[in-house]
Short mmCIF file of all heavy atoms in Angstrom, two decimals:
data_model
loop_
_atom_site.label_atom_id
_atom_site.label_comp_id
_atom_site.label_asym_id
_atom_site.label_seq_id
_atom_site.Cartn_x
_atom_site.Cartn_y
_atom_site.Cartn_z
N ALA A 1 -75.16 485.31 -5.49
CA ALA A 1 -74.92 483.90 -5.23
C ALA A 1 -73.44 483.71 -5.13
O ALA A 1 -72.95 482.94 -4.25
CB ALA A 1 -75.56 483.02 -6.28
N MET A 2 -72.67 484.26 -6.04
CA MET A 2 -71.23 484.07 -5.99
C MET A 2 -70.60 484.71 -4.79
O MET A 2 -69.64 484.22 -4.20
CB MET A 2 -70.63 484.72 -7.31
CG MET A 2 -70.92 483.90 -8.48
SD MET A 2 -70.10 484.59 -9.98
CE MET A 2 -70.75 483.50 -11.22
N PHE A 3 -71.21 485.85 -4.33
CA PHE A 3 -70.62 486.53 -3.14
C PHE A 3 -70.85 485.62 -2.01
O PHE A 3 -70.03 485.44 -1.07
CB PHE A 3 -71.46 487.78 -2.97
CG PHE A 3 -71.00 488.58 -1.72
CD1 PHE A 3 -69.82 489.37 -1.80
CD2 PHE A 3 -71.65 488.51 -0.55
CE1 PHE A 3 -69.43 490.06 -0.66
CE2 PHE A 3 -71.27 489.20 0.62
CZ PHE A 3 -70.11 490.05 0.48
N VAL A 4 -72.07 484.90 -1.85
CA VAL A 4 -72.31 483.94 -0.78
C VAL A 4 -71.30 482.77 -0.82
O VAL A 4 -70.73 482.40 0.16
CB VAL A 4 -73.77 483.44 -0.83
CG1 VAL A 4 -73.99 482.34 0.17
CG2 VAL A 4 -74.76 484.61 -0.61
N VAL A 5 -71.07 482.27 -2.05
CA VAL A 5 -70.07 481.21 -2.21
C VAL A 5 -68.73 481.57 -1.73
O VAL A 5 -68.06 480.87 -0.99
CB VAL A 5 -70.02 480.72 -3.62
CG1 VAL A 5 -68.87 479.71 -3.88
CG2 VAL A 5 -71.37 480.01 -4.06
N LEU A 6 -68.24 482.75 -2.15
CA LEU A 6 -66.91 483.25 -1.82
C LEU A 6 -66.83 483.52 -0.33
O LEU A 6 -65.81 483.20 0.33
CB LEU A 6 -66.54 484.47 -2.65
CG LEU A 6 -66.31 484.27 -4.13
CD1 LEU A 6 -66.12 485.60 -4.84
CD2 LEU A 6 -65.19 483.31 -4.34
N SER A 7 -67.89 483.97 0.31
CA SER A 7 -67.85 484.21 1.69
C SER A 7 -67.72 482.88 2.46
O SER A 7 -67.00 482.80 3.42
CB SER A 7 -69.15 484.88 2.14
OG SER A 7 -69.24 486.22 1.48
N ALA A 8 -68.42 481.89 1.97
CA ALA A 8 -68.29 480.58 2.57
C ALA A 8 -66.97 479.95 2.38
O ALA A 8 -66.31 479.37 3.32
CB ALA A 8 -69.34 479.61 2.07
N LEU A 9 -66.38 480.12 1.15
CA LEU A 9 -65.05 479.56 0.83
C LEU A 9 -64.04 480.20 1.72
O LEU A 9 -63.02 479.60 2.07
CB LEU A 9 -64.74 479.73 -0.62
CG LEU A 9 -65.53 478.75 -1.61
CD1 LEU A 9 -65.18 479.10 -3.00
CD2 LEU A 9 -65.25 477.28 -1.28
N ILE A 10 -64.14 481.50 2.04
CA ILE A 10 -63.15 482.20 2.84
C ILE A 10 -63.10 481.60 4.25
O ILE A 10 -62.05 481.69 4.92
CB ILE A 10 -63.62 483.72 2.85
CG1 ILE A 10 -63.23 484.38 1.49
CG2 ILE A 10 -62.70 484.48 3.97
CD1 ILE A 10 -63.74 485.76 1.37
N LEU A 11 -64.20 481.00 4.74
CA LEU A 11 -64.17 480.39 6.06
C LEU A 11 -63.24 479.27 6.14
O LEU A 11 -62.74 478.93 7.18
CB LEU A 11 -65.58 479.91 6.39
CG LEU A 11 -66.58 481.12 6.70
CD1 LEU A 11 -67.95 480.41 6.91
CD2 LEU A 11 -66.12 481.92 7.86
N ARG A 12 -62.91 478.60 4.98
CA ARG A 12 -62.07 477.41 4.98
C ARG A 12 -60.62 477.74 5.40
O ARG A 12 -60.16 477.15 6.40
CB ARG A 12 -62.05 476.70 3.66
CG ARG A 12 -63.46 475.97 3.40
CD ARG A 12 -63.27 474.87 2.38
NE ARG A 12 -62.81 475.48 1.10
CZ ARG A 12 -62.50 474.73 0.01
NH1 ARG A 12 -62.52 473.46 0.14
NH2 ARG A 12 -62.12 475.26 -1.08
N PRO A 13 -59.92 478.64 4.74
CA PRO A 13 -58.58 478.93 5.16
C PRO A 13 -58.53 479.53 6.56
O PRO A 13 -57.56 479.18 7.35
CB PRO A 13 -58.05 479.87 4.13
CG PRO A 13 -59.30 480.51 3.50
CD PRO A 13 -60.31 479.38 3.53
N VAL A 14 -59.49 480.36 6.96
CA VAL A 14 -59.43 480.87 8.26
C VAL A 14 -59.71 479.80 9.28
O VAL A 14 -58.97 479.72 10.30
CB VAL A 14 -60.52 481.94 8.38
CG1 VAL A 14 -60.56 482.53 9.81
CG2 VAL A 14 -60.33 483.10 7.35
N GLY A 15 -60.64 478.88 9.01
CA GLY A 15 -60.94 477.81 9.91
C GLY A 15 -59.70 476.89 10.09
O GLY A 15 -59.32 476.49 11.16
N PHE A 16 -58.99 476.52 8.98
CA PHE A 16 -57.88 475.66 9.01
C PHE A 16 -56.73 476.27 9.87
O PHE A 16 -56.05 475.60 10.64
CB PHE A 16 -57.37 475.37 7.64
CG PHE A 16 -58.15 474.37 6.87
CD1 PHE A 16 -58.53 474.56 5.56
CD2 PHE A 16 -58.56 473.22 7.44
CE1 PHE A 16 -59.31 473.68 4.84
CE2 PHE A 16 -59.35 472.25 6.78
CZ PHE A 16 -59.74 472.51 5.45
N LYS A 17 -56.52 477.54 9.71
CA LYS A 17 -55.36 478.23 10.31
C LYS A 17 -55.67 478.57 11.78
O LYS A 17 -54.72 478.47 12.61
CB LYS A 17 -55.07 479.47 9.57
CG LYS A 17 -54.58 479.39 8.14
CD LYS A 17 -53.39 478.45 8.04
CE LYS A 17 -52.94 478.32 6.58
NZ LYS A 17 -51.72 477.43 6.45
N TYR A 18 -56.87 478.94 12.17
CA TYR A 18 -57.12 479.41 13.46
C TYR A 18 -57.73 478.40 14.46
O TYR A 18 -57.76 478.54 15.69
CB TYR A 18 -58.13 480.62 13.41
CG TYR A 18 -57.44 481.90 13.03
CD1 TYR A 18 -57.45 482.31 11.67
CD2 TYR A 18 -56.77 482.69 13.92
CE1 TYR A 18 -56.84 483.44 11.24
CE2 TYR A 18 -56.15 483.80 13.53
CZ TYR A 18 -56.16 484.30 12.18
OH TYR A 18 -55.54 485.37 11.77
N ARG A 19 -58.22 477.23 13.89
CA ARG A 19 -58.94 476.35 14.77
C ARG A 19 -58.10 475.82 15.96
O ARG A 19 -58.54 475.73 17.06
CB ARG A 19 -59.43 475.10 13.93
CG ARG A 19 -60.13 474.14 14.75
CD ARG A 19 -60.33 472.76 14.07
NE ARG A 19 -61.14 471.86 14.78
CZ ARG A 19 -60.71 471.07 15.83
NH1 ARG A 19 -59.41 471.15 16.14
NH2 ARG A 19 -61.50 470.32 16.48
N SER A 20 -56.82 475.50 15.69
CA SER A 20 -55.97 474.96 16.70
C SER A 20 -55.18 475.94 17.48
O SER A 20 -54.24 475.59 18.29
CB SER A 20 -55.03 473.91 16.06
OG SER A 20 -55.74 472.87 15.51
N LYS A 21 -55.45 477.22 17.29
CA LYS A 21 -54.74 478.24 17.96
C LYS A 21 -55.03 478.33 19.48
O LYS A 21 -54.24 478.93 20.28
CB LYS A 21 -54.88 479.68 17.33
CG LYS A 21 -54.47 479.70 15.87
CD LYS A 21 -52.96 479.39 15.67
CE LYS A 21 -52.58 479.51 14.22
NZ LYS A 21 -51.09 479.20 14.12
N ARG A 22 -56.26 477.88 19.83
CA ARG A 22 -56.60 477.88 21.23
C ARG A 22 -57.17 476.51 21.64
O ARG A 22 -57.66 475.82 20.86
CB ARG A 22 -57.73 478.92 21.51
CG ARG A 22 -57.23 480.44 21.33
CD ARG A 22 -58.35 481.37 21.47
NE ARG A 22 -58.89 481.34 22.76
CZ ARG A 22 -60.03 481.99 23.23
NH1 ARG A 22 -60.63 482.81 22.37
NH2 ARG A 22 -60.48 481.86 24.46
N GLU A 23 -57.09 476.23 22.95
CA GLU A 23 -57.50 474.96 23.48
C GLU A 23 -58.95 474.93 23.84
O GLU A 23 -59.57 473.89 24.04
CB GLU A 23 -56.68 474.58 24.72
CG GLU A 23 -55.21 474.38 24.49
CD GLU A 23 -54.95 473.11 23.73
OE1 GLU A 23 -55.84 472.21 23.65
OE2 GLU A 23 -53.84 473.03 23.15
N SER A 24 -59.63 476.08 23.80
CA SER A 24 -60.99 476.23 24.17
C SER A 24 -61.90 475.34 23.27
O SER A 24 -61.83 475.36 22.07
CB SER A 24 -61.42 477.69 24.03
OG SER A 24 -62.91 477.75 24.12
N THR A 25 -62.73 474.55 23.90
CA THR A 25 -63.66 473.64 23.28
C THR A 25 -64.67 474.51 22.37
O THR A 25 -64.97 474.15 21.24
CB THR A 25 -64.49 472.86 24.25
OG1 THR A 25 -63.61 471.99 24.92
CG2 THR A 25 -65.45 471.89 23.48
N ALA A 26 -65.20 475.59 22.98
CA ALA A 26 -66.19 476.43 22.20
C ALA A 26 -65.51 477.08 21.07
O ALA A 26 -66.09 477.21 19.97
CB ALA A 26 -66.69 477.53 23.18
N TRP A 27 -64.26 477.49 21.23
CA TRP A 27 -63.49 478.04 20.05
C TRP A 27 -63.37 477.06 18.92
O TRP A 27 -63.69 477.38 17.76
CB TRP A 27 -62.15 478.47 20.54
CG TRP A 27 -61.09 478.94 19.46
CD1 TRP A 27 -60.22 478.13 18.86
CD2 TRP A 27 -60.92 480.24 18.96
NE1 TRP A 27 -59.46 478.88 17.95
CE2 TRP A 27 -59.91 480.14 17.99
CE3 TRP A 27 -61.48 481.52 19.22
CZ2 TRP A 27 -59.41 481.24 17.28
CZ3 TRP A 27 -61.06 482.62 18.50
CH2 TRP A 27 -60.01 482.44 17.56
N ARG A 28 -62.97 475.91 19.22
CA ARG A 28 -62.77 474.85 18.19
C ARG A 28 -64.04 474.40 17.53
O ARG A 28 -64.09 474.18 16.31
CB ARG A 28 -61.99 473.71 18.76
CG ARG A 28 -60.55 474.10 19.17
CD ARG A 28 -59.68 472.87 19.50
NE ARG A 28 -58.31 473.34 19.69
CZ ARG A 28 -57.24 472.51 19.92
NH1 ARG A 28 -57.45 471.19 19.86
NH2 ARG A 28 -56.10 472.97 20.06
N ASN A 29 -65.05 474.23 18.39
CA ASN A 29 -66.37 473.89 17.86
C ASN A 29 -66.93 474.94 16.82
O ASN A 29 -67.51 474.59 15.80
CB ASN A 29 -67.40 473.63 18.97
CG ASN A 29 -67.13 472.35 19.72
OD1 ASN A 29 -66.43 471.47 19.23
ND2 ASN A 29 -67.71 472.21 20.95
#
């Protein structure tokens, strides 16, 4: 359960940093 939580939490910094790197709508969604 903790592994699932940490995996989900890791998506946050990656999402914050990479979301705006491309203009693609699919990428950002």
